[in-house]
Amino acid sequence: MADQAYRSLADRLVTLRIRPGEPLNDERIAAELGFGRTPVREALKRLEHERLIVSYPRRGTFAAEVQIADLRHLSEVRLQLEPLAAALAAERAGEDDRAGLSRLLERLAEASGGESDLIRLDMTLHRAIYAATRNPYLEDTLIRYDNLATRIWCLFLDRLPGLAGHVHEHGPLLRAVIDRDAEKARALAANHVEGFEAAIRGVI
């Protein structure tokens, strides 16, 4: 139940359906999700560790603000780890992984949904590549940083053109992983991270 509560709250926090600075009450969340307060509190502790929420003594718990100053820090880390993950996925992905990535590639080719659907597809694509690295520590680390980067993206979504194009950039990356082309996957992942930062800086 703690994992379910975590996933539900993380999705809302990352996509800004829970707005930055919004207060979070564990009793109200537990009632809304149909869980006890204990799993919700466990989920909140995990979310605080991942910098998605902040807690203040005697004030309460709040959705973390989106700090644009963090963009450079996030990009520095992601520019090292995303290409590494892409290359490892190309080298290590098993047949089941490749079949799953192929299905995602087909889904991507047909994607023309709304903003929220595209954002969730973007997150799904990233997570599939992370999982294919077969390195749980790298996977967990990148999910955490991808969540924080996606919050920045969502904050400027109404000012950023070409969301669909950004998401569709994953097509060649997925193909490189499926084809076991580690160096191409590495280069495409680096370009994607650099393009993300450039797009955000273009509107701030």
Side-chain angles (χ1 to χ4, degrees), residues 68-69 71 152 155-156 159-160 197-204:
I68 304 308
L71 177 63
I152 294 176
L155 186 67
F156 293 99
R159 296 163 58 187
L160 284 165
E197 181 175 11
I200 298 296
R201 293 201 179 280
V203 297
I204 59 176

Side-chain angles (χ1 to χ4, degrees), residues 51-169:
R51 298 178 181 265
L52 292 173
I53 66 172
V54 290
S55 296
Y56 301 102
R58 295 180 297 279
R59 285 183 55 197
T61 301
F62 303 84
E65 296 290 348
V66 178
Q67 303 293 342
I68 304 308
D70 289 342
L71 177 63
R72 178 172 62 86
H73 303 306
L74 289 170
S75 294
E76 286 175 349
V77 176
R78 294 180 71 227
L79 195 54
Q80 298 300 314
L81 297 186
E82 291 276 358
L84 172 63
L88 289 177
E91 294 169 356
R92 298 177 178 177
E95 291 308 313
D96 287 345
D97 294 313
R98 294 179 196 283
L101 292 171
S102 294
R103 288 192 294 271
L104 283 173
L105 190 58
E106 293 173 1
R107 182 177 163 192
L108 180 63
E110 300 170 355
S112 58
E115 290 179 346
S116 61
D117 290 336
L118 287 170
I119 289 168
R120 285 187 176 81
L121 177 57
D122 181 86
M123 294 168 67
T124 299
L125 296 169
H126 278 273
R127 279 150 182 70
I129 292 172
Y130 303 158
T133 67
R134 300 300 183 188
N135 183 326
Y137 299 102
L138 180 60
E139 180 182 1
D140 287 348
T141 300
L142 277 170
I143 287 173
R144 175 178 174 180
Y145 288 119
D146 185 58
N147 282 341
L148 296 173
T150 301
R151 293 189 88 218
I152 294 176
W153 187 263
C154 289
L155 186 67
F156 293 99
L157 199 55
D158 59 338
R159 296 163 58 187
L160 284 165
L163 173 61
H166 173 80
V167 177
H168 280 279
E169 285 180 8

Side-chain angles (χ1 to χ4, degrees), residues 1-12 29 33-35 39-40 43 46-47:
M1 286 190 292
D3 285 341
Q4 292 178 44
Y6 165 81
R7 287 193 296 270
S8 178
L9 290 170
D11 179 74
R12 300 181 197 187
I29 292 169
L33 297 179
F35 297 148
V40 170
R46 182 175 172 186
L47 292 164

